[in-house]
Amino acid sequence: MVTLQRSNRNWLRRALQILDADQMRSGETNLLRLDMPALPGIAVYFKDESTHPTGSLKHRLARSLFTYGLCNGWIGPGTTVIESSSGSTAVSEAYFAHLLGLKFVAVMPRTTSPEKIAAIRLYGGDCHFVDDPTTVYEVSATLARELHGHYMDQFTFAERATDWRRANIAEAMFAQLANEEHRIPRWIVCSAGTGGTATTVGRHIRYKSYETRLCLADPEASVFHRHCVDPKVTSVKGASLIEGIGRPRVEPSFLPQEIDLVVPVEDAASVAAARVLSRHLGKSCGGSTGTNFWAVVKLAREMHAAGESGSIVTLLCDSGERYRSTYYDDAWVRDHGLDLAPYEAELESCFAHASVAPANRQAVAAE
Protein backbone atom coordinates (compact mmCIF):
# COMPACT_ATOMS: atom_id res chain seq x y z
CA MET A 1 0.00 0.00 0.00
CA VAL A 2 1.31 3.46 -0.99
CA THR A 3 0.38 6.46 1.13
CA LEU A 4 0.28 9.91 -0.43
CA GLN A 5 2.70 12.21 1.32
CA ARG A 6 1.04 14.57 3.78
CA SER A 7 2.86 17.52 2.21
CA ASN A 8 1.25 16.73 -1.16
CA ARG A 9 -2.17 16.48 0.49
CA ASN A 10 -1.66 19.82 2.16
CA TRP A 11 -0.53 21.38 -1.12
CA LEU A 12 -3.60 20.02 -2.93
CA ARG A 13 -5.92 21.35 -0.24
CA ARG A 14 -4.31 24.76 -0.44
CA ALA A 15 -4.40 24.76 -4.27
CA LEU A 16 -8.13 24.06 -4.31
CA GLN A 17 -8.68 26.80 -1.73
CA ILE A 18 -6.83 29.22 -4.01
CA LEU A 19 -9.09 28.33 -6.95
CA ASP A 20 -12.21 28.68 -4.78
CA ALA A 21 -11.01 32.05 -3.54
CA ASP A 22 -10.54 33.26 -7.11
CA GLN A 23 -14.10 32.23 -7.93
CA MET A 24 -15.43 34.12 -4.92
CA ARG A 25 -13.44 37.23 -5.85
CA SER A 26 -14.52 37.08 -9.47
CA GLY A 27 -18.25 36.84 -8.82
CA GLU A 28 -20.67 36.56 -11.74
CA THR A 29 -20.30 38.51 -14.97
CA ASN A 30 -22.88 41.05 -16.12
CA LEU A 31 -25.64 40.49 -18.66
CA LEU A 32 -25.77 43.53 -20.95
CA ARG A 33 -28.83 44.46 -23.01
CA LEU A 34 -28.56 45.82 -26.54
CA ASP A 35 -31.53 47.48 -28.22
CA MET A 36 -31.77 47.60 -32.02
CA PRO A 37 -34.50 50.12 -32.95
CA ALA A 38 -35.10 48.58 -36.39
CA LEU A 39 -35.98 45.26 -34.73
CA PRO A 40 -38.54 46.15 -32.03
CA GLY A 41 -39.81 43.46 -29.70
CA ILE A 42 -36.53 41.56 -29.76
CA ALA A 43 -34.23 41.94 -26.75
CA VAL A 44 -30.58 40.99 -27.25
CA TYR A 45 -28.32 40.24 -24.29
CA PHE A 46 -24.56 39.79 -24.03
CA LYS A 47 -22.97 37.82 -21.21
CA ASP A 48 -19.92 40.01 -20.63
CA GLU A 49 -17.10 37.55 -20.04
CA SER A 50 -14.47 40.24 -20.63
CA THR A 51 -14.80 41.29 -16.97
CA HIS A 52 -13.14 38.13 -15.64
CA PRO A 53 -9.71 38.72 -14.05
CA THR A 54 -8.01 37.36 -17.18
CA GLY A 55 -10.38 39.15 -19.53
CA SER A 56 -12.23 36.37 -21.31
CA LEU A 57 -14.70 33.51 -21.26
CA LYS A 58 -11.74 31.14 -20.93
CA HIS A 59 -11.25 32.14 -17.29
CA ARG A 60 -14.11 29.80 -16.35
CA LEU A 61 -12.66 26.96 -18.43
CA ALA A 62 -9.12 27.38 -17.10
CA ARG A 63 -10.30 27.23 -13.48
CA SER A 64 -12.35 24.12 -14.24
CA LEU A 65 -9.43 22.44 -16.04
CA PHE A 66 -7.06 23.13 -13.15
CA THR A 67 -9.63 21.80 -10.65
CA TYR A 68 -10.13 18.71 -12.81
CA GLY A 69 -6.38 18.13 -13.14
CA LEU A 70 -5.77 18.60 -9.44
CA CYS A 71 -8.55 16.25 -8.36
CA ASN A 72 -7.48 13.62 -10.89
CA GLY A 73 -3.96 13.69 -9.51
CA TRP A 74 -2.48 14.97 -12.76
CA ILE A 75 -1.22 18.26 -11.30
CA GLY A 76 0.86 18.49 -8.17
CA PRO A 77 3.54 20.71 -6.63
CA GLY A 78 6.22 21.34 -9.23
CA THR A 79 4.18 20.18 -12.23
CA THR A 80 4.82 22.10 -15.45
CA VAL A 81 1.50 22.70 -17.21
CA ILE A 82 1.40 22.76 -21.02
CA GLU A 83 -1.53 23.86 -23.15
CA SER A 84 -2.30 24.21 -26.86
CA SER A 85 -4.18 27.44 -27.43
CA SER A 86 -4.79 30.35 -29.77
CA GLY A 87 -4.28 32.70 -26.87
CA SER A 88 -7.15 33.34 -24.47
CA THR A 89 -7.14 29.95 -22.73
CA ALA A 90 -3.38 30.23 -22.40
CA VAL A 91 -3.71 33.67 -20.78
CA SER A 92 -6.15 32.29 -18.21
CA GLU A 93 -4.15 29.13 -17.53
CA ALA A 94 -0.97 31.17 -17.12
CA TYR A 95 -2.81 33.22 -14.50
CA PHE A 96 -3.89 30.15 -12.51
CA ALA A 97 -0.48 28.51 -12.85
CA HIS A 98 1.01 31.69 -11.41
CA LEU A 99 -1.43 31.61 -8.47
CA LEU A 100 -0.42 28.00 -7.74
CA GLY A 101 3.31 28.62 -8.21
CA LEU A 102 3.57 26.34 -11.25
CA LYS A 103 5.43 26.73 -14.53
CA PHE A 104 3.30 27.16 -17.63
CA VAL A 105 4.03 26.78 -21.35
CA ALA A 106 1.58 27.79 -24.09
CA VAL A 107 1.91 26.12 -27.50
CA MET A 108 0.33 28.51 -29.96
CA PRO A 109 0.32 29.68 -33.59
CA ARG A 110 2.94 32.28 -34.41
CA THR A 111 0.14 34.53 -35.68
CA THR A 112 -1.42 34.93 -32.21
CA SER A 113 -2.04 38.58 -31.37
CA PRO A 114 0.86 40.36 -29.61
CA GLU A 115 -1.52 41.50 -26.87
CA LYS A 116 -2.31 37.91 -25.88
CA ILE A 117 1.36 36.93 -25.94
CA ALA A 118 2.15 39.85 -23.64
CA ALA A 119 -0.61 38.81 -21.24
CA ILE A 120 0.71 35.23 -21.03
CA ARG A 121 4.18 36.51 -20.25
CA LEU A 122 2.78 38.97 -17.70
CA TYR A 123 1.69 35.96 -15.63
CA GLY A 124 5.07 34.29 -15.99
CA GLY A 125 4.10 31.88 -18.79
CA ASP A 126 6.34 30.86 -21.66
CA CYS A 127 5.23 30.77 -25.30
CA HIS A 128 6.22 28.01 -27.72
CA PHE A 129 5.27 29.02 -31.25
CA VAL A 130 4.36 26.80 -34.20
CA ASP A 131 4.04 27.80 -37.84
CA ASP A 132 1.38 25.19 -38.60
CA PRO A 133 -1.62 25.51 -36.22
CA THR A 134 -2.59 21.87 -36.79
CA THR A 135 0.58 20.74 -34.99
CA VAL A 136 -0.27 22.30 -31.62
CA TYR A 137 -1.67 19.03 -30.25
CA GLU A 138 1.36 16.89 -31.08
CA VAL A 139 3.85 19.56 -30.01
CA SER A 140 2.06 20.06 -26.68
CA ALA A 141 2.04 16.33 -25.93
CA THR A 142 5.73 16.06 -26.84
CA LEU A 143 6.66 18.99 -24.59
CA ALA A 144 4.71 17.46 -21.71
CA ARG A 145 6.68 14.22 -22.05
CA GLU A 146 10.02 16.03 -22.35
CA LEU A 147 9.33 18.28 -19.36
CA HIS A 148 7.64 15.54 -17.29
CA GLY A 149 4.69 17.87 -17.10
CA HIS A 150 0.95 17.73 -17.71
CA TYR A 151 -0.69 18.51 -21.05
CA MET A 152 -3.97 20.15 -20.05
CA ASP A 153 -5.60 19.45 -23.47
CA GLN A 154 -8.56 21.81 -23.37
CA PHE A 155 -9.88 20.42 -26.65
CA THR A 156 -10.50 17.02 -25.06
CA PHE A 157 -11.38 17.89 -21.48
CA ALA A 158 -13.41 21.13 -21.77
CA GLU A 159 -16.78 19.35 -21.78
CA ARG A 160 -15.72 16.92 -19.04
CA ALA A 161 -14.26 19.45 -16.61
CA THR A 162 -17.36 21.69 -16.50
CA ASP A 163 -20.48 20.79 -14.52
CA TRP A 164 -23.35 21.31 -16.98
CA ARG A 165 -26.04 20.77 -14.33
CA ARG A 166 -25.29 23.67 -12.03
CA ALA A 167 -22.90 26.55 -11.30
CA ASN A 168 -22.17 27.11 -14.99
CA ILE A 169 -22.54 29.93 -17.50
CA ALA A 170 -25.90 28.69 -18.78
CA GLU A 171 -27.43 28.58 -15.32
CA ALA A 172 -26.18 32.11 -14.71
CA MET A 173 -27.74 33.37 -17.96
CA PHE A 174 -31.19 32.04 -17.08
CA ALA A 175 -30.95 33.35 -13.52
CA GLN A 176 -30.07 36.84 -14.72
CA LEU A 177 -33.02 36.84 -17.13
CA ALA A 178 -35.51 36.02 -14.35
CA ASN A 179 -36.99 39.53 -14.15
CA GLU A 180 -36.82 40.35 -17.86
CA GLU A 181 -39.89 40.49 -20.11
CA HIS A 182 -38.72 37.46 -22.08
CA ARG A 183 -37.02 35.45 -19.36
CA ILE A 184 -36.70 32.25 -21.40
CA PRO A 185 -34.71 33.19 -24.52
CA ARG A 186 -35.78 31.98 -27.93
CA TRP A 187 -32.13 31.47 -28.83
CA ILE A 188 -28.72 31.27 -27.23
CA VAL A 189 -25.91 31.87 -29.71
CA CYS A 190 -22.45 30.38 -29.09
CA SER A 191 -19.33 30.12 -31.17
CA ALA A 192 -17.01 27.15 -30.63
CA GLY A 193 -13.29 26.69 -30.12
CA THR A 194 -13.09 23.60 -27.98
CA GLY A 195 -16.87 23.23 -28.20
CA GLY A 196 -17.02 23.00 -24.41
CA THR A 197 -19.17 26.08 -23.80
CA ALA A 198 -21.69 25.19 -26.51
CA THR A 199 -21.88 21.66 -25.10
CA THR A 200 -22.42 22.94 -21.55
CA VAL A 201 -25.16 25.33 -22.69
CA GLY A 202 -26.87 22.68 -24.80
CA ARG A 203 -26.81 20.10 -22.02
CA HIS A 204 -28.16 22.59 -19.49
CA ILE A 205 -31.03 23.55 -21.80
CA ARG A 206 -31.97 19.87 -22.10
CA TYR A 207 -31.51 19.25 -18.37
CA LYS A 208 -33.92 22.07 -17.48
CA SER A 209 -36.33 21.27 -20.34
CA TYR A 210 -36.20 24.84 -21.65
CA GLU A 211 -37.68 25.58 -25.07
CA THR A 212 -34.61 27.67 -25.89
CA ARG A 213 -32.72 26.62 -28.99
CA LEU A 214 -28.96 26.72 -29.45
CA CYS A 215 -27.35 28.32 -32.49
CA LEU A 216 -23.70 27.76 -33.39
CA ALA A 217 -22.01 30.79 -34.96
CA ASP A 218 -18.98 29.37 -36.73
CA PRO A 219 -16.25 30.91 -38.92
CA GLU A 220 -16.73 29.96 -42.54
CA ALA A 221 -13.33 28.23 -42.66
CA SER A 222 -14.13 26.05 -39.62
CA VAL A 223 -15.11 22.39 -39.67
CA PHE A 224 -17.79 22.53 -36.97
CA HIS A 225 -20.68 23.84 -39.08
CA ARG A 226 -19.83 21.37 -41.84
CA HIS A 227 -19.74 18.49 -39.38
CA CYS A 228 -23.18 19.39 -38.00
CA VAL A 229 -24.66 19.02 -41.48
CA ASP A 230 -22.54 16.04 -42.58
CA PRO A 231 -21.02 13.98 -39.72
CA LYS A 232 -18.59 12.38 -42.18
CA VAL A 233 -16.77 15.72 -42.47
CA THR A 234 -14.31 15.74 -39.58
CA SER A 235 -11.53 18.02 -40.83
CA VAL A 236 -10.86 20.84 -43.26
CA LYS A 237 -7.83 22.63 -44.65
CA GLY A 238 -7.31 26.32 -44.14
CA ALA A 239 -7.85 28.53 -41.13
CA SER A 240 -9.99 31.42 -39.99
CA LEU A 241 -8.59 34.81 -39.01
CA ILE A 242 -10.85 34.83 -35.95
CA GLU A 243 -8.76 33.75 -32.97
CA GLY A 244 -10.15 31.39 -30.37
CA ILE A 245 -13.01 29.88 -32.39
CA GLY A 246 -13.36 27.60 -35.39
CA ARG A 247 -11.13 24.56 -35.81
CA PRO A 248 -9.63 22.52 -38.66
CA ARG A 249 -10.72 19.29 -36.95
CA VAL A 250 -13.74 18.27 -34.89
CA GLU A 251 -12.60 18.45 -31.28
CA PRO A 252 -13.62 15.77 -28.72
CA SER A 253 -15.42 18.39 -26.60
CA PHE A 254 -17.75 19.40 -29.44
CA LEU A 255 -21.07 17.52 -29.40
CA PRO A 256 -23.02 18.38 -32.57
CA GLN A 257 -26.24 16.82 -31.25
CA GLU A 258 -26.58 19.78 -28.88
CA ILE A 259 -26.83 22.25 -31.79
CA ASP A 260 -30.17 23.26 -33.36
CA LEU A 261 -28.91 25.65 -36.05
CA VAL A 262 -25.56 26.60 -37.52
CA VAL A 263 -24.67 29.94 -39.10
CA PRO A 264 -21.39 30.07 -41.04
CA VAL A 265 -19.83 33.54 -40.79
CA GLU A 266 -17.24 35.09 -43.07
CA ASP A 267 -14.16 36.58 -41.40
CA ALA A 268 -14.92 40.04 -42.79
CA ALA A 269 -18.43 39.86 -41.32
CA SER A 270 -17.01 38.89 -37.90
CA VAL A 271 -14.54 41.78 -37.85
CA ALA A 272 -17.14 44.26 -39.08
CA ALA A 273 -19.64 43.03 -36.50
CA ALA A 274 -17.10 43.40 -33.69
CA ARG A 275 -16.49 47.02 -34.71
CA VAL A 276 -20.17 47.91 -35.09
CA LEU A 277 -21.13 46.23 -31.83
CA SER A 278 -18.34 48.00 -29.97
CA ARG A 279 -19.72 51.35 -31.11
CA HIS A 280 -23.29 50.63 -30.03
CA LEU A 281 -22.68 48.59 -26.88
CA GLY A 282 -20.06 50.99 -25.55
CA LYS A 283 -17.59 48.16 -24.91
CA SER A 284 -14.75 47.03 -27.13
CA CYS A 285 -15.41 43.49 -28.39
CA GLY A 286 -13.18 40.82 -29.90
CA GLY A 287 -13.61 38.97 -33.18
CA SER A 288 -15.41 35.93 -31.78
CA THR A 289 -18.01 38.24 -30.26
CA GLY A 290 -18.43 39.71 -33.73
CA THR A 291 -19.07 36.21 -35.06
CA ASN A 292 -21.75 35.74 -32.42
CA PHE A 293 -23.32 39.11 -33.16
CA TRP A 294 -23.60 38.42 -36.89
CA ALA A 295 -25.60 35.26 -36.14
CA VAL A 296 -27.70 37.12 -33.55
CA VAL A 297 -28.69 39.74 -36.12
CA LYS A 298 -29.67 37.06 -38.61
CA LEU A 299 -31.93 35.37 -36.04
CA ALA A 300 -33.37 38.68 -34.87
CA ARG A 301 -34.25 39.69 -38.42
CA GLU A 302 -35.94 36.37 -39.07
CA MET A 303 -37.98 36.71 -35.87
CA HIS A 304 -38.95 40.28 -36.78
CA ALA A 305 -39.99 39.29 -40.30
CA ALA A 306 -42.20 36.55 -38.85
CA GLY A 307 -43.83 38.99 -36.41
CA GLU A 308 -42.27 37.28 -33.40
CA SER A 309 -40.93 38.79 -30.20
CA GLY A 310 -38.55 37.38 -27.62
CA SER A 311 -34.97 37.44 -26.45
CA ILE A 312 -31.65 36.23 -27.78
CA VAL A 313 -28.60 35.72 -25.54
CA THR A 314 -25.00 35.44 -26.63
CA LEU A 315 -21.48 35.88 -25.29
CA LEU A 316 -19.14 38.83 -25.22
CA CYS A 317 -16.14 36.52 -25.19
CA ASP A 318 -13.29 38.97 -24.69
CA SER A 319 -12.29 42.58 -25.13
CA GLY A 320 -11.30 44.16 -28.40
CA GLU A 321 -8.31 45.64 -26.60
CA ARG A 322 -6.56 42.32 -27.26
CA TYR A 323 -6.90 42.93 -31.00
CA ARG A 324 -5.85 46.55 -31.40
CA SER A 325 -2.98 45.46 -33.66
CA THR A 326 -5.22 43.19 -35.75
CA TYR A 327 -9.01 43.54 -36.13
CA TYR A 328 -9.01 47.21 -35.13
CA ASP A 329 -5.99 48.13 -37.25
CA ASP A 330 -7.09 49.34 -40.69
CA ALA A 331 -3.73 48.45 -42.23
CA TRP A 332 -3.99 44.87 -40.92
CA VAL A 333 -7.52 44.60 -42.31
CA ARG A 334 -6.36 45.79 -45.77
CA ASP A 335 -3.34 43.48 -45.72
CA HIS A 336 -5.65 40.51 -45.14
CA GLY A 337 -7.97 41.50 -47.97
CA LEU A 338 -11.02 42.15 -45.83
CA ASP A 339 -13.70 44.54 -47.13
CA LEU A 340 -15.70 45.50 -44.06
CA ALA A 341 -17.87 48.26 -45.58
CA PRO A 342 -20.83 46.19 -46.87
CA TYR A 343 -21.06 44.22 -43.64
CA GLU A 344 -20.85 47.30 -41.47
CA ALA A 345 -23.59 49.00 -43.51
CA GLU A 346 -25.84 45.96 -43.18
CA LEU A 347 -25.38 45.86 -39.42
CA GLU A 348 -25.72 49.61 -38.90
CA SER A 349 -29.16 49.43 -40.52
CA CYS A 350 -30.35 47.52 -37.44
CA PHE A 351 -29.89 50.66 -35.38
CA ALA A 352 -31.97 52.89 -37.67
CA HIS A 353 -35.57 53.66 -36.78
CA ALA A 354 -37.00 51.84 -39.77
CA SER A 355 -38.15 48.36 -40.68
CA VAL A 356 -35.43 46.14 -42.04
CA ALA A 357 -35.94 43.17 -44.34
CA PRO A 358 -34.32 39.88 -43.37
CA ALA A 359 -30.67 39.54 -44.35
CA ASN A 360 -30.17 37.66 -47.60
CA ARG A 361 -27.88 35.12 -46.01
CA GLN A 362 -28.64 31.52 -45.27
CA ALA A 363 -28.28 29.54 -42.08
CA VAL A 364 -27.96 25.79 -42.27
CA ALA A 365 -30.21 23.68 -40.08
CA ALA A 366 -28.22 21.14 -38.11
CA GLU A 367 -29.29 17.53 -38.53
Side-chain angles (χ1 to χ4, degrees):
M1 182 173 66
V2 178
T3 302
L4 186 65
Q5 293 182 1
R6 182 176 297 276
S7 59
N8 285 4
R9 287 282 189 184
N10 290 339
W11 183 88
L12 172 62
R13 186 180 300 110
R14 178 57 183 152
L16 292 171
Q17 287 174 345
I18 289 171
L19 298 183
D20 286 343
D22 172 84
Q23 187 167 15
M24 292 297 291
R25 289 195 304 271
S26 302
E28 191 48 70
T29 59
N30 295 328
L31 195 64
L32 309 178
R33 176 166 173 157
L34 176 72
D35 291 316
M36 293 185 286
L39 302 172
I42 300 168
V44 175
Y45 299 89
F46 288 83
K47 188 80 167 122
D48 186 6
E49 297 294 283
S50 71
T51 60
H52 282 296
T54 55
S56 83
L57 168 68
K58 299 300 186 180
H59 192 85
R60 296 177 188 267
L61 174 59
R63 185 168 53 224
S64 294
L65 288 169
F66 267 94
T67 302
Y68 193 67
L70 288 165
C71 293
N72 284 338
W74 298 339
I75 300 173
T79 300
T80 297
V81 176
I82 296 92
E83 182 64 286
S84 50
S85 171
S86 61
S88 288
T89 303
V91 172
S92 298
E93 289 186 8
Y95 166 87
F96 284 110
H98 177 72
L99 288 184
L100 300 180
L102 302 175
K103 293 181 180 179
F104 177 77
V105 181
V107 178
M108 53 206 304
R110 198 173 299 276
T111 55
T112 300
S113 72
E115 292 84 355
K116 288 182 181 177
I117 295 169
I120 292 166
R121 290 174 172 162
L122 174 67
Y123 296 122
D126 292 327
C127 298
H128 184 100
F129 298 106
V130 298
D131 294 313
D132 180 359
T134 64
T135 64
V136 293
Y137 317 98
E138 180 182 352
V139 172
S140 296
T142 299
L143 276 176
R145 288 193 298 271
E146 292 175 351
L147 299 173
H148 304 288
H150 170 59
Y151 173 28
M152 195 75 91
D153 194 1
Q154 60 166 323
F155 298 106
T156 295
F157 295 106
E159 59 92 5
R160 306 178 196 182
T162 302
D163 186 348
W164 46 267
R165 296 174 185 85
R166 59 191 64 83
N168 57 58
I169 192 169
E171 183 180 64
M173 286 177 180
F174 284 99
Q176 290 173 312
L177 287 167
N179 292 325
E180 301 295 320
E181 181 182 3
H182 305 289
R183 64 185 188 86
I184 303 298
R186 294 288 302 277
W187 290 95
I188 292 178
V189 175
C190 286
S191 47
T194 64
T197 299
T199 296
T200 296
V201 171
R203 283 171 165 170
H204 192 77
I205 289 171
R206 289 172 184 252
Y207 178 60
K208 292 293 187 178
S209 298
Y210 293 129
E211 294 186 1
T212 304
R213 289 183 288 173
L214 179 61
C215 173
L216 173 71
D218 199 34
E220 197 171 51
S222 171
V223 71
F224 291 137
H225 66 89
R226 294 175 171 86
H227 180 69
C228 286
V229 176
D230 182 357
K232 294 190 295 295
V233 179
T234 58
S235 64
V236 293
K237 294 183 179 180
S240 169
L241 294 173
I242 309 304
E243 291 184 16
I245 60 171
R247 300 298 301 167
R249 74 171 198 183
V250 177
E251 303 296 350
S253 286
F254 179 71
L255 301 185
Q257 62 268 29
E258 302 295 341
I259 307 299
D260 296 296
L261 185 78
V262 292
V263 177
V265 183
E266 299 168 52
D267 287 348
S270 293
V271 175
R275 289 183 171 206
V276 171
L277 178 62
S278 296
R279 291 196 288 268
H280 289 278
L281 193 62
K283 290 184 70 75
S284 183
C285 306
S288 57
T289 305
T291 306
N292 290 340
F293 183 47
W294 184 264
V296 165
V297 169
K298 176 173 180 54
L299 294 172
R301 280 177 162 161
E302 290 180 351
M303 290 172 61
H304 177 61
E308 299 171 351
S309 61
S311 60
I312 304 172
V313 183
T314 191
L315 301 173
L316 198 167
C317 305
D318 61 3
S319 170
E321 295 303 317
R322 289 185 170 176
Y323 308 97
R324 285 294 162 195
S325 61
T326 55
Y327 309 143
Y328 289 88
D329 185 311
D330 290 340
W332 184 94
V333 169
R334 287 194 302 271
D335 289 345
H336 287 80
L338 302 180
D339 182 8
L340 307 187
Y343 300 99
E344 290 202 26
E346 186 171 344
L347 292 165
E348 285 289 357
S349 67
C350 296
F351 298 93
H353 291 273
S355 179
V356 177
N360 185 28
R361 298 187 182 274
Q362 294 182 346
V364 184
E367 295 181 349

